[in-house]
């Protein structure tokens, strides 16, 4: 059975019992010396009972013993409001109201000497009338009352409480003391946002919000003097009404607030911290102060990448990302005036919201950075060091700054082989391999502009990522002087053209040229640039000598490099 139906049945039974009792009291042989009260409904909880001196609001129906109604507050559409025990009521009603609870309902019988006596009341109440009142108490307060606070949920942590001049965002349900709902922020689906303690709210709410923590829930009860007073609000709140607000605090800040950095986890090794102008890659979870999640880089499976200290992100984040280390984790709490302000961002971030970012720094660099290298091992003997043009063979392990592996030559069981200065690897690797000895090991830190840039490598290297290479130089072959692809190891023959022209037809054909160069290399008389396809080098040398492009070299076309006005990769 529904509680409301059950309640009505009980009241109905009480009312029938009361009629019987009243009838008995009305019999001539049963004199009525005092008031007679029958409680027809008693609320489960009675936080407060009426005392002498309290101010009450109640509804009533006044009847004569035969059931004839002579008055009703319901007919007037307003409660009867009065101080109790101060002779503002007939004596019997003054006595009957004492001890009643809000929402309690009683049938009261008052004898004539405690009502209007032998005089009656005009043409409404005859002399010596017994009066019956059906009374429903709706409100009670005392002029000495202040704000009453009942906290029924306190968060486990509370780093800060509401103070005067703070700006708060909260939800509430507002009811009268009898439970009648008059307003709710929940039905509007938006918080109530306001300053506290500076007169922007009714006095009772101004007081009731002080000392609250974000996430706290409390009941704030206030007398009308601290609410809407004698006149009410003109619509939903009657005059002289006590108000009850069920409040949950969602957000709190002060216009003087700056960002707050907490929960810092700084790695043991931190050789460098971010400064304005650095480019940072970081992950974050973003939430409101009450824990409501609004965004995450993790859900997109990619870092947020930006310059810091240059206005590319909200001011609070710009500030909060200065002075961090690679690998550092921190919580950055940002007041709205350093975030998205009074307007918010629409659906996800409400206006005037404090934002909380849990940030993990993945890497950072500066556009002016060069490749950094640290020698982790150097052999005792180091007669030769790598230079531009050398052919080098090396092993490497590649990773991101957070340690995520990218690639390793050890996985393939062979070295990586390049010619230094030939643009066969990213510029940062070329820089880092210079001036190395065979057997030397280094750690290279390569910024993205000397690595794979803003685009990175699909599914391997994220865009704008700083790279870390642990390299070991295994072997090196000295290169040729810059601008040469072939050099002689001994004096050049004065009959070089004739030696190439095997068939003595005064023309050197490609096969004759190739055979001759290969033979010089094999006999140790000449050397090709290491690390390149020898036949492609020779083809290029032939093309440089074949000036008219007819596929043959004449004696007039043939020149040594030393005889050329401009440099060519040839003899």
């Amino acid at each position: 059975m529904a509680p409301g139906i059950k309640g009505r049945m009980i009241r109905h039974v009480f009312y029938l019992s009361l009629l019987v009792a009243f009838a008995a009291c009305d019999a001539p042989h049963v004199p009525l010396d005092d008031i007679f009260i029958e409680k027809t409904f008693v609320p489960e909880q009675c936080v407060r009972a009426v005392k002498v001196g309290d101010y009450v609001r109640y509804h009533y129906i006044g009847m004569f013993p035969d059931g004839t109604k002579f008055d009703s507050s319901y007919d007037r559409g307003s409660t009867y409001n009065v101080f109790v025990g101060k002779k503002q009521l007939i004596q019997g009603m003054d006595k009957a109201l004492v001890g009643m609870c809000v929402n309690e309902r009683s049938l009261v019988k008052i004898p004539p000497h405690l009502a209007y006596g032998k005089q009656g009341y005009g043409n409404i109440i005859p002399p010596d009338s017994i009066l019956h009142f059906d009374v429903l108490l709706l409100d009670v307060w005392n002029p000495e009352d202040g704000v009453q606070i009942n906290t029924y949920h306190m968060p486990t942590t509370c780093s800060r409480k509401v103070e005067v001049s703070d700006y708060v965002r909260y939800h509430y349900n507002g009811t009268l003391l009898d439970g009648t709902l008059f307003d709710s922020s929940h039905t509007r689906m938006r918080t109530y946002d306001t300053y506290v303690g500076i007169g922007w709210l009714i006095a009772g709410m101004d007081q009731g919000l002080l000392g609250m923590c974000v996430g706290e829930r409390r009941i704030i009860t206030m007398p009308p003097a601290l609410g809407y007073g004698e006149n009410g609000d003109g619509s939903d709140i009657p005059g002289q009404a006590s108000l009850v607000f069920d409040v949950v605090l969602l957000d709190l800040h002060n216009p003087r607030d700056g960002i707050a950095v907490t929960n810092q986890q700084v790695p043991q090794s931190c050789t460098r911290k971010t400064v304005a102008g650095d480019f940072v890659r970081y992950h974050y979870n973003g939430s409101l102060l009450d824990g409501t999640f609004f965004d995450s880089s993790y859900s997109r499976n990619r870092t947020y990448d930006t310059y810091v200290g240059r206005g590319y992100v909200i001011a609070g984040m710009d500030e909060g990302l200065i002075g961090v280390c690679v690998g550092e984790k921190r919580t950055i709490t940002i007041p709205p005036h350093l975030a998205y302000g009074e307007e918010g961002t629409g659906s996800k971030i409400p206006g005037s919201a404090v934002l909380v970012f849990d940030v993990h720094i993945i890497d950072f660099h500066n556009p002016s950075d060069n490749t950094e290298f640290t020698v982790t091992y150097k052999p005792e003997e180091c007669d030769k060091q790598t230079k531009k043009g050398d052919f080098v063979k090396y092993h490497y392990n590649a990773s991101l700054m957070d340690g995520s592996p990218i690639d390793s030559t050890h996985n393939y069981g062979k070295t990586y082989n390049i010619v230094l200065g030939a643009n066969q690897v990213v510029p940062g690797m070329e820089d880092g391999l210079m001036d190395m000895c065979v057997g030397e090991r280094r750690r290279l830190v390569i910024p993205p502009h000397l690595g794979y840039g803003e685009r990175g490598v699909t599914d391997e290297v994220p865009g704008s990522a700083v790279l870390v290479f642990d390299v070991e130089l295994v072997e090196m072959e000295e290169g040729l002087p810059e601008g040469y692809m072939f050099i002689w190891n001994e004096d050049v023959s004065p009959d070089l053209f004739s030696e190439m022209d095997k068939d003595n037809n005064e023309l050197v054909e490609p096969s004759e040229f190739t055979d001759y160069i290969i033979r010089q290399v094999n006999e140790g008389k000449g050397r090709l640039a290491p690390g390149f396809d020898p036949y492609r080098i020779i083809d290029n040398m032939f093309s440089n000598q074949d000036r008219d492009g007819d596929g043959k070299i004449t004696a007039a076309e043939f020149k040594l490099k030393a005889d050329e006005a401009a440099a060519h990769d040839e003899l």
Side-chain angles (χ1 to χ4, degrees):
M1 182 180 292
I5 297 173
K6 183 177 180 181
R8 287 195 295 272
M9 290 183 65
I10 292 172
R11 288 196 294 272
H12 184 63
V13 171
F14 280 159
Y15 187 72
L16 290 176
S17 300
L18 184 65
L19 292 179
V20 174
F22 276 11
C25 291
D26 285 340
H29 60 280
V30 183
L32 185 65
D33 296 327
D34 202 350
I35 62 173
F36 181 84
I37 299 174
E38 180 72 20
K39 296 183 177 182
T40 57
F41 178 78
V42 178
E44 292 183 2
Q45 292 185 340
C46 182
V47 178
R48 176 174 180 173
V50 177
K51 297 179 181 178
V52 172
D54 284 345
Y55 192 92
V56 296
R57 296 192 310 109
Y58 64 95
H59 270 305
Y60 71 89
I61 299 173
M63 300 168 289
F64 295 117
D66 62 359
T68 301
K69 181 173 68 174
F70 62 82
D71 193 15
S72 171
S73 62
Y74 297 100
D75 294 343
R76 294 191 296 275
S78 65
T79 54
Y80 195 80
N81 308 334
V82 69
F83 282 100
V84 176
K86 294 190 175 183
K87 298 183 180 181
Q88 296 179 359
L89 294 163
I90 58 175
Q91 188 176 356
M93 186 61 78
D94 246 356
K95 292 180 65 176
L97 289 171
V98 173
M100 284 192 76
C101 302
V102 172
N103 285 329
E104 182 178 328
R105 188 169 185 175
S106 295
L107 291 175
V108 181
K109 182 176 181 179
I110 302 176
H113 66 278
L114 297 178
Y116 292 96
K118 296 184 179 299
Q119 301 298 319
Y121 185 78
N123 58 359
I124 299 175
I125 299 175
D128 294 319
S129 294
I130 297 173
L131 305 180
H132 293 182
F133 289 92
D134 182 353
V135 178
L136 173 62
L137 186 68
L138 299 180
D139 199 345
V140 54
W141 54 271
N142 193 281
E144 297 181 359
D145 285 350
V147 173
Q148 301 173 40
I149 295 172
N150 175 27
T151 294
Y152 64 93
H153 174 75
M154 178 66 76
T156 53
T157 59
C158 180
S159 59
R160 177 173 178 177
K161 296 182 178 182
V162 177
E163 298 178 359
V164 171
S165 81
D166 282 344
Y167 193 89
V168 297
R169 296 192 310 110
Y170 61 94
H171 270 304
Y172 70 89
N173 287 320
T175 62
L176 304 180
L177 206 59
D178 67 343
T180 301
L181 180 72
F182 62 79
D183 192 17
S184 174
S185 63
H186 298 281
T187 60
R188 295 190 294 275
M189 298 182 66
R190 62 170 299 171
T191 54
Y192 194 84
D193 309 338
T194 185
Y195 286 96
V196 177
I198 60 173
W200 284 37
L201 292 162
I202 55 175
M205 187 61 83
D206 249 355
Q207 296 177 30
L209 291 171
L210 292 176
M212 283 194 80
C213 305
V214 171
E216 181 179 342
R217 295 173 181 265
R218 59 170 54 172
I219 304 294
I220 302 171
T221 305
M222 62 193 71
L226 300 177
Y228 288 92
E230 295 182 4
N231 298 321
D233 72 344
S235 57
D236 298 314
I237 300 175
Q240 301 289 29
S242 300
L243 305 180
V244 181
F245 290 91
D246 188 343
V247 175
V248 55
L249 186 66
L250 300 182
D251 202 341
L252 158 67
H253 78 276
N254 193 283
R256 299 186 299 272
D257 286 349
I259 67 167
V261 176
T262 56
N263 302 327
Q264 288 179 276
Q265 299 178 37
V266 182
Q268 291 182 347
S269 175
C270 180
T271 58
R272 174 176 171 181
K273 296 183 178 182
T274 54
V275 296
D278 283 344
F279 191 88
V280 182
R281 295 174 56 245
Y282 63 97
H283 272 302
Y284 70 88
N285 286 319
S287 62
L288 304 181
L289 205 57
D290 66 344
T292 302
F293 171 85
F294 64 79
D295 193 17
S296 173
S297 62
Y298 296 100
S299 64
R300 295 188 291 275
N301 199 31
R302 61 167 297 171
T303 56
Y304 193 85
D305 309 336
T306 185
Y307 288 96
V308 294
R310 293 287 186 266
Y312 284 77
V313 288
I314 56 175
M317 186 62 82
D318 234 5
E319 181 182 348
L321 292 173
I322 297 294
V324 294
C325 307
V326 170
E328 182 174 338
K329 295 181 179 180
R330 58 170 48 179
T331 299
I332 305 171
T333 303
I334 304 175
H337 53 274
L338 298 177
Y340 293 98
E342 296 181 4
E343 300 300 322
T345 63
S347 59
K348 290 188 177 182
I349 300 177
S352 300
V354 176
L355 307 183
V356 180
F357 290 93
D358 290 311
V359 172
H360 181 200
I361 306 301
I362 303 303
D363 72 27
F364 66 86
H365 72 278
N366 194 281
S368 63
D369 286 348
N370 295 314
T371 298
E372 297 179 9
F373 71 87
T374 304
V375 176
T376 57
Y377 172 76
K378 194 163 190 174
E380 293 182 3
E381 294 186 7
C382 182
D383 297 330
K384 291 184 178 180
Q385 294 180 321
T386 55
K387 64 183 184 305
K388 189 174 182 180
D390 289 349
F391 181 58
V392 298
K393 298 181 180 181
Y394 61 95
H395 275 300
Y396 69 81
N397 290 316
S399 64
L400 302 178
M401 285 290 280
D402 65 353
S404 301
I406 298 174
D407 195 15
S408 174
T409 55
H410 298 285
N411 295 337
Y412 311 114
K414 59 181 182 180
T415 58
Y416 200 81
N417 309 328
I418 66 164
V419 177
L420 288 176
N423 298 321
Q424 294 175 348
V425 288
V426 295
M429 179 62 78
E430 289 215 275
D431 295 340
L433 290 172
M434 292 292 184
D435 303 317
M436 282 189 79
C437 307
V438 172
E440 184 177 339
R441 292 192 288 269
R442 292 179 175 180
R443 167 161 284 198
L444 312 180
V445 179
I446 301 176
H449 53 274
L450 298 177
Y452 292 100
E454 294 183 6
R455 294 189 176 183
V457 179
T458 303
D459 298 328
E460 294 184 37
V461 180
S464 299
V466 178
L467 305 180
V468 179
F469 285 90
D470 290 306
V471 298
E472 179 184 4
L473 186 63
V474 175
E475 188 178 328
M476 66 172 285
E477 182 178 347
E478 189 174 2
L480 304 186
E482 188 171 359
Y484 288 81
M485 296 299 286
F486 173 84
I487 61 171
W488 295 97
N489 292 332
E490 54 187 43
D491 292 338
V492 182
S493 170
D495 297 324
L496 188 58
F497 183 81
S498 298
E499 291 177 8
M500 288 184 184
D501 182 18
K502 284 291 187 179
D503 58 5
N504 298 317
N505 65 350
E506 300 297 326
L507 296 171
V508 175
E509 299 191 11
S511 59
E512 293 175 316
F513 188 88
T514 299
D515 290 345
Y516 183 83
I517 296 299
I518 291 295
R519 186 166 65 252
Q520 305 310 303
V521 171
N522 291 338
E523 293 176 359
K525 296 178 181 179
R527 191 157 73 92
L528 290 166
F532 298 98
D533 181 351
Y535 292 98
R536 292 188 65 180
I537 293 176
I538 294 170
D539 286 345
N540 187 52
M541 292 169 62
F542 182 88
S543 297
N544 286 336
Q545 294 291 335
D546 181 16
R547 301 173 194 282
D548 61 7
D550 65 351
K552 298 173 184 179
I553 302 172
T554 65
E557 291 176 311
F558 188 81
K559 288 183 176 64
L560 293 175
K561 187 173 181 68
D563 299 328
E564 295 284 350
H568 293 285
D569 291 330
E570 54 180 64
L571 297 177

